[in-house]
Amino acid sequence: MNINKLLFPLFSLGICISNIAQNPIVQTYYTADPAPMVHNGKVYVYTSHDEDTTVNNFFTMFDWRCYSSDDMVNWTDHGAVASLKNFEWLDKTNGAWAPQCIERNGRFYLYVPVHGEGISVLVSDSPTGPFHDPLGHRLIVDSEDVWTDIDPTVFIDDDGQAYLYWGNPSLFYVKLNEDMISYDRTIGKNGIVAVEMNAESFGESKAKDGKHLTNYTEGPWFYKRNDIYYLVYAAGGIPEYIAYSTAPTAEGPWTYQGYIMERAPHLAFTNHPGIVDFKGNSYFFYHDQDLSGGEGFKRSVSVEQFEYNDDGSIPLITPTKEGVKESVANLNPFKKVEAETIAWSEGLKTASNDKTGVYVTNVDGGDFIKVRSVDFKQGAETFTVRAEPLNGGKIEIRLDSKNGSLLGVCEITKTGSERNWQTFTTRTDNHKGVHDLFFVFKGGEGELFNLDYWEFLK
Ligand code: FUB
């Protein structure tokens, strides 16, 4: 039994909330520590991943996942794009903490901390991997305490100089060389600059634990917008708020600006920011613990749209279940859409293999997928889906709600005893215009089928 199927009844008000909820943005896995990256008209969000089963009531994290969106409401699951197994030299099976990815000259650099083993880097020719380890050892060497080397954040300035900031409870940076996998060893202490932690720069410490000298705690997110350098971070010790500081240069001096996310009942004891501008809007990513019904080691990534004030300051942002209200693009249903492109789902998981890539699995009767802002234009008369029948069942295709008007029913029946992927087709009502689309799964006992992709034909 999929653990999410047990937890979903706990999750808010079920059907009612699911029709309006957009947060968390992933319901098939627990995801944390969001790191958004805009590339080629898409937002990619790299996340850490809290396992469904927690070991020793602590962070249980083995790999890093990636999701992408063209419209900020439907998210395509690219699976686990990297894991601790990418590092052959590493003798660790847990500790895949907060990542961030950046593109330079057509290559993608994924900076990752392994808890207790410092910060490393992986490289790929594609934003969704495969990633490989270019060094065979950690990136940040000669650190005085690898236990504090977590939460890397990377940014390339207008002059081409790349910076990597990180740290809990102190803050450090290196100036990355153009190859992005080494750094200038002539500055700071063997290349590592320790940022001066004072109340003017990072606020007064509220943690009162003797370790956190200022309000800065961890999870920095570093970027520049309209000549202001921003460092947004988890603050206030445990439980964490989100605060930020600004500076006139990439190296400071930093000025504390206060909180941008306070506490709310469904937030976890940690929080972790990521901010991007996309298609003219600004988005704030963070994580909460709503999907797990309140377990701080089972977190989920959420996102809110916000607007900067005229002076560049960031307003207080409220964490909501509704999340992003409006898509910034419509989804085209007349070309192949991966089944794992989801605005909201209940009861499902994704898996992947070499032949099919990522697919939707754990499909039982009553589960469903919602896809938002689907533009049927002048009408669609046929639906086709690539599926792997297991016990077999049906897909009810509905508009605008789980119980909305029925466009058609696609039977996914098992033929023969072998498992194999096939295409199934059904006629649909000739519906027009932009709608939310619901696939509601119906069948008997056990798993019904797996789903690869779908499309409508005119
Ligand atoms: O996800 C593990 C740790 O929790 C991260 O490194 C911190 O930022 C906090 O979110």
Side-chain angles (χ1 to χ4, degrees), residues 32-33 48 59 61 97-98 150-151 218-219 270-272 287 299:
D33 303 323
S48 56
F59 296 109
M61 306 171 78
W97 287 16
I150 63 167
D151 297 351
E218 60 180 358
T270 63
N271 204 346
H272 192 108
H287 63 225
R299 301 158 293 174

Side-chain angles (χ1 to χ4, degrees), residues 155 163 165 171 173 195-203 221-224 228-233 244-257:
F155 167 72
Y163 292 84
Y165 272 85
L171 185 63
Y173 71 83
V195 178
E196 193 189 322
M197 304 306 282
N198 59 52
E200 202 187 358
S201 293
F202 299 105
W221 182 258
F222 180 42
Y223 65 102
K224 180 186 186 183
I228 300 174
Y229 293 81
Y230 293 81
L231 199 75
V232 184
Y233 44 85
Y244 77 113
S245 303
T246 55
T249 78
E251 295 164 41
W254 294 99
T255 302
Y256 184 64
Q257 302 291 352

Side-chain angles (χ1 to χ4, degrees), residues 84-106:
L84 296 173
K85 292 186 183 142
N86 281 80
F87 301 109
E88 276 178 21
W89 51 270
L90 186 72
D91 185 22
K92 273 232 162 190
T93 52
N94 193 2
W97 287 16
Q100 189 180 343
C101 190
I102 199 167
E103 185 262 351
R104 183 164 204 162
N105 300 329

